[in-house]
Amino acid sequence: MKMTADLGHNVAPPIQTSPGYWTSVGARLLRDRIALLVGTVILALLAMALFGSWLAPSDPYATSMFRRLQPIGTAGYPLGSDELGRDMLSRLILGARLSLFMGITPVLLAFVIGSAVGIVAGYAGGLTNTLIMRTVDVFYAFPSVLLAIALSGAMGAGIDNALLSLTLVFVPQIARVAESVTTQVRNRDYIEAARASGASAFTIIRTQVLGNVLGPIFVFATGLISVSMILASGLSFLGLGVRPPEPEWGLMLNTLRTAIYTQPWVAALPGLMIFITSISFNILADRLRAAMAIRS
């Protein structure tokens, strides 16, 4: 019995491992009620964009000059009708597809391009950094709104040209952030150790640098989605983005601007959707940034 007791005292306790970095970030977000709220709103908007054709109660393209500019609450038109008698609820639901596509796609493209450009410039340093970043600064010097309008106006109206112009607007901003965070980590001890081991620059960037810089870049890019939504809607409002009769919130604002004095609530609905979407992505970026700031 004594031997059994001694063996029991010699059993080592189980090793408790601490959760990983991204696990901790996810746990913080799940405890953040504001992040959960805006996340739910964004998921609902994405569901509208993906399943809008099934969610829309009526044909968003069907016109009726006898039912134009109906007020909110009209039978058959829960959110009223537009200047051509089309159901506003259906057009708002289906409009989420193009609006979110025009807002998110340029940021995703700029995230890939800008991250690659900034990381290369930050890791290489010296003359390479100077050449790349001074070229980036040429575009960064112009205000985003003016640059987007100038590029879209020069290339012509259309979705493709609007996406290209917005991507070019955001690449310099993301590249500057990527270059800054890469410069901060390129001289860390683990990077120097990888260089001393004979690893190539590509291998070091892939295995050591990316994991330490993509987080801050991603958070910054998430915040740009709200700006992209507003710019994309502004281009459509000016006739440089989506063209009629496609439902898109910025274009709907343009076509309803003459109804602001007769049906102000109906005319304000596309603007309200733009505001809700933009503020949701902006708040989500702030909460994600706070969740990633893990303090010991």
Side-chain angles (χ1 to χ4, degrees), residues 5 35 53 72 93 122 130 173 203 242 271 287:
S53 301
I72 295 176
I93 292 175
T130 301
Q173 301 180 35
T203 302
V242 180
R287 308 314 295 181

Side-chain angles (χ1 to χ4, degrees), residues 139 141-154 165 169 231 235 240:
F139 292 91
F142 294 93
S144 300
V145 177
L146 296 181
L147 183 58
I149 294 175
L151 292 174
S152 295
S165 64
V169 166
L231 291 180
L235 292 178
L240 297 173

Side-chain angles (χ1 to χ4, degrees), residues 116-198:
V117 171
I119 290 173
V120 169
Y123 182 81
L127 181 60
T128 302
N129 181 289
T130 301
L131 290 175
I132 293 177
M133 297 313 297
R134 294 300 77 78
T135 304
V136 167
D137 288 343
V138 172
F139 292 91
Y140 192 76
F142 294 93
S144 300
V145 177
L146 296 181
L147 183 58
I149 294 175
L151 292 174
S152 295
M155 293 184 292
I159 295 178
D160 295 338
N161 290 336
L163 290 175
L164 179 58
S165 64
L166 290 174
T167 301
L168 293 176
V169 166
F170 294 123
V171 164
Q173 301 180 35
I174 295 177
R176 285 175 64 92
V177 174
E179 187 270 341
S180 177
V181 295
T182 304
T183 301
Q184 295 175 13
V185 304
R186 71 177 180 183
N187 293 322
R188 298 285 177 86
D189 292 339
Y190 54 86
I191 302 293
E192 295 294 343
R195 289 197 191 101
S197 67

Side-chain angles (χ1 to χ4, degrees), residues 230-245:
I230 296 174
L231 291 180
S233 299
L235 292 178
S236 296
F237 181 87
L238 296 173
L240 297 173
V242 180
R243 297 177 179 179

